[in-house]
Amino acid sequence: MSGGSTPQERFSSRWGLLAASLGCAIGVGNIWRFPRIAAENGGGVFIILWMLFLFLWSIPLMVAEYSLGRKTREGVVGSFAKFGGKNRAWMGGFMALVATCVLFYYTVIAGWCFYYFFQTLSGNLSQMAGGGATDFFMAFTGDSIEFVYMAIPLLICSAVIFVGGVTGIERMNTFMIPTLFLLLISAAIYACTLPGAMKGIEYLFVPKWEYFGNYKTWINALAQSAWSTGAGFGLYLTYSVYVSKDEDIVTNTFFTGIGNNIASIFAALAIIPTIFSILPSAEAEAVFSKSSVGLTFFALPELFGKMPYGNIFAPLFFLTLIFAALSSLISLVELPVRVVMDFGYSRQQSVILVALTTLMFGSLSAYSLDFLDNQDFVWGQGLIISGMFLAWLIIGYGAKAFRVELIEEQRAVHMMSNGEKISNLVQIGEKEEVRLGKYDHMSVGGWFDPVVTYIIPVEFIALMSWWAIEATSGEGWWNPIAVKSLGTCLTQWGIAIMILLALNNYLKRKIHTHEEDGITL
């Protein structure tokens, strides 16, 4: 075996890194999931909580991911093994597993976007109108052609990573992200000018305060923030392996998080006013009771067939979904590729292994919609656990020490590289905190320490307990093979954790360690 770290692989510019980071965050979930979840959970109330969790969950974990990957120059398993000690490799393994399981079914969803784009472009929108959209979709899923379309986005992303590595990821995102924003903004402007669109805008933004006391609103707001930004996935940790030592990761994180939320709002403005412009209010609200699949592939195609210029708007909508899917899919592919590379394989060998594994396990979600729904439910919630594992790693090290040594230290490195004077060192045990004056890097600030140490664990315990208590009130909550139940989550998480704990020492022993940049921990 050969490979591992490739020292010359680096993002070439701040914009390239930001575009790649936005690509991690902005995906199909912003477009097909956020509008439905926001509408279903109180509109403005949900948006307030969702914005709150951006700063009290997602951004701190994103900053932590960037700092950890940049320091260790390892993927998620290697970073946990190297930074957290011999007993933490399994946590990195769980984080990698969550992202990889999402990759398996996300590839299928990306394939649907390609299929619908080509179908609407070919003028087949009429087959989906008049109540035929459900039959159209069901005839496609499970058919052999679905497996072909599933392979298209996977092969595109794998080829980019195989040939271009980090440079390929950067170039792909610097084209797709501006294009994606242009498409979203154009769609939102058009939708908001439709007759009756104001009802949809009010439905999205006016708070329904009765939802404030509903646990589902809170857990969905946290899950959507974590899912949509990618906080806790390990995607930013993976990309940060390729950033320079003096990169302004804090500014990049804030731009990424806020940019992701802006994209979500534009997506909602493109979809919700469109629905309200065509349907009576009661029917429009009923549409949001459908699943994300039902909204995007059942309801919207039928509405496109009824709306003015629907034959133009429909392919543009699915083209937007394609760009969103690819920008996130490429980061989901790179994460397990980086993990395999850390075990000593070359990039090319790693890409081939990950692509073949994804085709094999992704085919299960292509074959069965119930299996896809199950995996989305289990690993969507599992993302919150992997985010907590990251916080646990930082708490074990000390949040203040982590901030000083892995975040603020790099700002000091940047200043010294520019010949600026470092002063006002504050002693923290044997460590020194750098108090900087005027500089061009944003500081994460002392708020990082209590948020990671106290607020994130409280959020995790309260919301997961709330969810579990409510989940046990229904029939069949214990069923381990149900599509959506507490039992199926606990079973799959438990099996994964037991296997990873048994493999912990093996992971620690076999992980490919790098001496690049003179890293010592």
Side-chain angles (χ1 to χ4, degrees):
M1 293 185 296
S2 63
S5 180
T6 309
Q8 63 267 30
E9 286 195 275
R10 289 287 186 270
F11 286 104
S12 64
S13 66
R14 288 187 177 183
W15 164 238
L17 174 61
L18 178 59
S21 301
L22 285 168
C24 287
I26 302 171
V28 172
N30 297 70
I31 301 171
W32 84 323
R33 193 174 189 272
F34 174 79
R36 178 184 67 84
I37 295 294
E40 207 176 24
N41 288 276
V45 168
F46 175 87
I47 291 174
I48 291 169
L49 296 176
W50 170 68
M51 288 294 298
L52 181 67
F53 284 127
L54 174 65
F55 296 97
L56 296 182
W57 180 278
S58 299
I59 283 180
L61 293 180
M62 290 161 67
V63 171
E65 283 194 39
Y66 273 119
S67 303
L68 189 59
R70 181 180 60 181
K71 183 69 173 180
T72 64
R73 301 297 183 189
E74 303 271 1
V76 290
V77 179
S79 290
F80 273 74
K82 193 170 185 178
F83 189 82
K86 64 181 181 180
N87 296 322
R88 302 290 176 88
W90 69 273
M91 291 184 181
F94 186 84
M95 180 180 281
L97 178 66
V98 169
T100 304
C101 287
V102 170
L103 166 65
F104 295 157
Y105 69 81
Y106 195 87
T107 303
V108 177
I109 297 169
W112 296 347
C113 300
F114 273 87
Y115 178 74
Y116 270 71
F117 171 69
F118 288 124
Q119 292 300 309
T120 54
L121 197 64
S122 302
N124 291 331
L125 186 62
S126 59
Q127 297 181 35
M128 306 177 219
T134 302
D135 292 337
F136 185 89
F137 179 81
M138 297 308 295
F140 165 62
T141 56
D143 189 87
S144 57
I145 192 66
E146 184 184 10
F147 297 92
V148 175
Y149 276 94
M150 178 188 79
I152 292 174
L154 177 63
L155 292 177
I156 290 173
C157 293
S158 298
V160 170
I161 295 174
F162 185 96
V163 176
V166 174
T167 301
I169 294 172
E170 183 176 354
R171 288 176 178 173
M172 186 173 177
N173 280 290
T174 51
F175 167 73
M176 286 195 303
I177 293 303
T179 306
L180 177 57
F181 268 99
L182 179 62
L183 290 170
L184 282 173
I185 293 170
S186 301
I189 292 173
Y190 175 72
C192 290
T193 59
L194 293 171
M198 185 55 65
K199 294 179 182 177
I201 296 173
E202 292 175 357
Y203 189 74
L204 173 63
F205 289 112
V206 174
K208 302 175 183 65
W209 294 110
E210 63 271 22
Y211 283 84
F212 190 78
N214 189 327
Y215 84 98
K216 291 182 179 179
T217 305
W218 289 76
I219 193 71
N220 281 323
L222 173 56
Q224 179 62 28
S225 181
W227 167 268
S228 183
T229 60
F233 261 131
L235 303 175
Y236 303 104
L237 191 158
T238 301
Y239 276 178
S240 65
V241 173
Y242 312 113
V243 304
S244 62
K245 286 196 284 187
D246 65 343
E247 184 61 59
D248 186 2
I249 59 174
V250 178
T251 299
N252 189 81
T253 299
F254 274 85
F255 272 120
T256 300
I258 294 170
N260 168 78
N261 281 21
I262 290 173
S264 297
I265 294 294
F266 276 123
L269 287 173
I271 293 173
I272 294 177
T274 298
I275 295 173
F276 275 85
S277 72
I278 298 171
L279 299 176
S281 296
E283 292 183 32
E285 292 181 22
V287 167
F288 295 109
S289 64
K290 298 178 181 288
S291 66
S292 297
V293 172
L295 173 63
T296 307
F297 298 102
F298 300 170
L300 286 176
E302 292 188 9
L303 294 176
F304 291 147
K306 300 176 182 179
M307 68 183 291
Y309 305 107
N311 60 328
I312 297 174
F313 191 74
L316 285 177
F317 171 76
F318 287 108
L319 180 63
T320 305
L321 277 180
I322 285 174
F323 278 95
L326 289 176
S327 66
S328 290
L329 185 64
I330 197 168
S331 61
L332 285 169
V333 173
E334 174 62 18
L335 187 149
V337 166
R338 180 70 252 178
V339 170
V340 177
M341 288 171 65
D342 287 343
F343 281 92
Y345 291 89
S346 70
R347 174 172 287 282
Q348 287 69 30
Q349 290 171 326
S350 301
V351 170
I352 293 171
L353 179 61
V354 169
L356 291 176
T357 304
T358 302
L359 285 173
M360 180 172 63
F361 286 100
S363 64
L364 298 175
S365 290
Y367 179 76
S368 169
L369 282 178
D370 283 345
F371 186 81
L372 188 151
D373 284 343
N374 173 267
Q375 293 299 282
D376 184 34
F377 181 73
V378 171
W379 302 111
Q381 306 290 354
L383 173 60
I384 298 176
I385 297 176
S386 67
M388 186 61 228
F389 281 167
L390 179 61
W392 191 358
L393 184 73
I394 298 167
I395 293 168
Y397 191 80
K400 190 171 187 177
F402 184 94
R403 173 173 58 85
V404 171
E405 296 172 33
L406 274 74
I407 304 173
E408 306 292 7
E409 177 188 65
Q410 298 304 319
R411 296 194 298 129
V413 169
H414 173 78
M415 289 183 64
M416 288 187 289
S417 68
N418 288 316
E420 299 179 53
K421 183 178 179 181
I422 303 297
S423 59
N424 299 325
L425 297 180
V426 179
Q427 195 74 20
I428 308 174
E430 296 180 355
K431 307 295 182 184
E432 292 180 329
E433 179 173 5
V434 183
R435 300 290 190 188
L436 302 179
K438 186 177 180 180
Y439 51 86
D440 67 353
H441 278 35
M442 180 186 290
S443 171
V444 69
W447 67 276
F448 176 88
D449 309 347
V451 168
V452 173
T453 305
Y454 303 110
I455 295 178
I456 287 179
V458 168
E459 289 172 330
F460 174 80
I461 293 170
L463 293 179
M464 292 299 281
S465 298
W466 198 355
W467 169 67
I469 290 170
E470 291 291 333
T472 57
S473 63
E475 292 184 7
W477 65 266
W478 51 267
N479 189 348
I481 59 173
V483 174
K484 294 182 179 181
S485 70
L486 177 61
T488 192
C489 288
L490 295 178
T491 299
Q492 293 185 54
W493 296 339
I495 291 172
I497 289 174
M498 284 191 293
I499 292 173
L500 289 167
L501 280 169
L503 293 174
N504 182 79
N505 291 336
Y506 174 83
L507 294 173
K508 173 68 176 178
R509 187 171 64 253
K510 291 294 185 180
I511 200 75
H512 186 79
T513 57
H514 311 313
E515 300 302 327
E516 180 192 350
D517 296 329
I519 296 169
T520 56
L521 293 174

